[in-house]
Amino acid sequence: MNTSSNNDSAQEKFYPVSTGVFRVLPKSRPPFSLYMYDRHLGDFKPVSEPGKVIVSSEKERIYKACESGMVYISSKDLQACEPYLSTHLKIVLEDLADSLSAVELAPLILSSMETLIAPLFKESVKLNFERFNEAVPALIETLEQNPAILEHILGRLEREHSLTNKALATGFTGLAVCMLGRETKTDMQTLLHCAYALFLCDIGLCRLPDFVLGKEFSLTVDEQKRIKHHPILSLEILTATKAIPKPSLIAILEHHERLDGSGYPRGASGDSISWIGKLCGAVDSFVAMIMDRPGKRSMSRVNALKTLYRESSMYDPNIIYALEKVMLKD
C-alpha cells in the first residue's frame, strides 16, 4: 500500500520500508530521505537527510520503526534507491512489489536482472548462480500477479547486442509471450521452467572467444561448428548447478532445433521438440533479428515477424502469433 502526501506536491507518494529494504539501503550519506508519518501534522516528516550519515542510535530507532511499518520512502527518491535495491531483487519483490505500480517496478526489475545475469556471462556461473536462482521464483510470482509490468519492461530493453542484453531481451520477451500473448493461462511451474530456459539458453556462448562472437564477417567452418556446439555447452554448464529443472535443461538443448529438422545440435523435428524448446527457439530468433550487431543491421519488429512467418515450417505458428500479439499490441 502506498500513501499520498498532503503537502505541496499532490503527486508525491510514500511507500513503506521494511526491515529487509532498510538493511540494503546505504546508511553512510544516502542520496535520499526516509520519512515517518506524523499523526499530529497529518503528513510525512523526514527522519534522515540526503548526504547525512545515519548514526548508530538513529539506525536502531529507524529499524524498530520499520518493524512497525512506520518508515516510508518517497516516490521521488525511488530512482536514487535503484542502485542499492537492484542488487537485492528478491527483497524488492517480496517487500515492495505490492506498493509500487507496474511503471515503477519495471526499471527496478530490469536493472536487478541485469545485475544478476551479467556476472553469469562475464564472470562465473558457479560463483554467481545462487543469487540469480533465488530471485527467479519471486520474479515469476510477481509477474504472474501483475503481467502489465512486462509491457513496461519490453519498452526499456536494449537493442545493442551483448550476451547480457540478449539474455534479458529473450527472457522478458518470452515471458511476455507466455503471460500476455497466449489465449490459455500458463501455469506457474511452466512459467518458472520457461524463465530458466529463456534467460540462460545462450550461457554456453560465454565459453567462446570474443573474436568469434563479435565477428563482423562470415564465420569459418570451424567457427560455425563452435557456435553450433553452444547449446551443448549451455546444458553442461547448467547441469552442473544441480538446480535447473529438467524441462528447462531440455529446452536449452533444443533452442536451435527447428520443426522441419533443419536445426541443431541433434536435428530434432516436430513434436520431438518440447513446447518450451519451441518457445525459446522462436523468441531467440526474433530477438537476434531485432538487435544491433557488428556488421549486421537490425530488423524492425514487423520485418522480424514477417521473417518468422515466412519460415513457418521451422517455428510453431501459435507461438509466432502470440509473439505478434505482444510485439504489435499498439
Side-chain angles (χ1 to χ4, degrees), residues 68-267:
S68 303
M70 296 170 60
V71 179
Y72 296 81
I73 194 160
S74 167
S75 55
K76 293 181 177 180
D77 287 330
L78 276 180
Q79 191 171 0
C81 295
E82 187 175 308
Y84 312 102
L85 296 175
S86 65
T87 56
H88 298 85
L89 179 58
K90 187 169 183 286
I91 291 174
V92 169
L93 295 179
E94 291 177 347
D95 294 358
L96 277 176
D98 290 339
S99 301
L100 302 180
S101 68
V103 174
E104 292 164 328
L105 276 170
L108 278 174
I109 289 174
L110 182 56
S111 175
S112 296
M113 287 301 289
E114 182 177 5
T115 300
L116 292 170
I117 286 175
L120 299 177
F121 284 94
K122 296 178 180 179
E123 298 169 15
S124 163
V125 172
K126 184 177 181 180
L127 296 177
N128 296 287
F129 180 76
E130 185 176 347
R131 289 178 60 238
F132 170 84
N133 189 42
E134 73 172 10
V136 171
L139 171 68
I140 295 305
E141 184 176 349
T142 298
L143 294 178
E144 197 271 341
Q145 292 172 357
N146 190 359
I149 297 169
L150 285 163
E151 297 177 7
H152 300 286
I153 288 177
L154 292 180
R156 292 174 170 270
L157 293 171
E158 291 286 343
R159 297 286 289 267
E160 183 178 352
H161 183 272
S162 72
L163 292 180
T164 299
N165 287 346
K166 186 166 182 285
L168 290 167
T170 303
F172 285 118
T173 302
L175 289 175
V177 168
C178 293
M179 297 186 197
L180 301 174
R182 300 184 74 201
E183 297 293 336
T184 56
K185 183 178 174 65
T186 309
D187 65 85
M188 282 287 291
Q189 186 177 54
T190 301
L191 288 173
L192 190 62
H193 294 166
C194 289
Y196 283 113
L198 288 159
F199 283 116
L200 299 177
C201 61
D202 277 342
I203 197 70
L205 291 174
C206 69
R207 288 192 177 175
L208 298 182
D210 289 340
F211 77 86
V212 173
L213 297 176
K215 198 168 183 181
E216 296 187 21
F217 304 103
S218 299
L219 296 168
T220 66
V221 173
D222 180 63
E223 289 166 348
Q224 290 178 31
K225 287 181 180 178
R226 296 174 78 173
I227 289 286
K228 289 185 176 182
H229 189 62
H230 83 266
I232 296 173
L233 291 177
S234 296
L235 180 66
E236 292 173 353
I237 292 168
L238 295 171
T239 299
T241 68
K242 299 180 180 179
I244 303 290
K246 186 176 180 180
S248 304
L249 291 173
I250 292 172
I252 286 165
L253 180 63
E254 295 173 332
H255 78 281
H256 278 286
E257 302 289 4
R258 299 294 179 256
L259 293 183
D260 60 2
S262 64
Y264 59 87
R266 297 177 301 158

Side-chain angles (χ1 to χ4, degrees), residues 53-69:
V53 175
I54 302 176
V55 297
S56 296
S57 58
E58 283 298 300
K59 196 185 303 181
E60 185 176 346
R61 182 172 77 90
I62 294 172
Y63 185 86
K64 288 181 178 178
C66 287
E67 291 180 322
S68 303

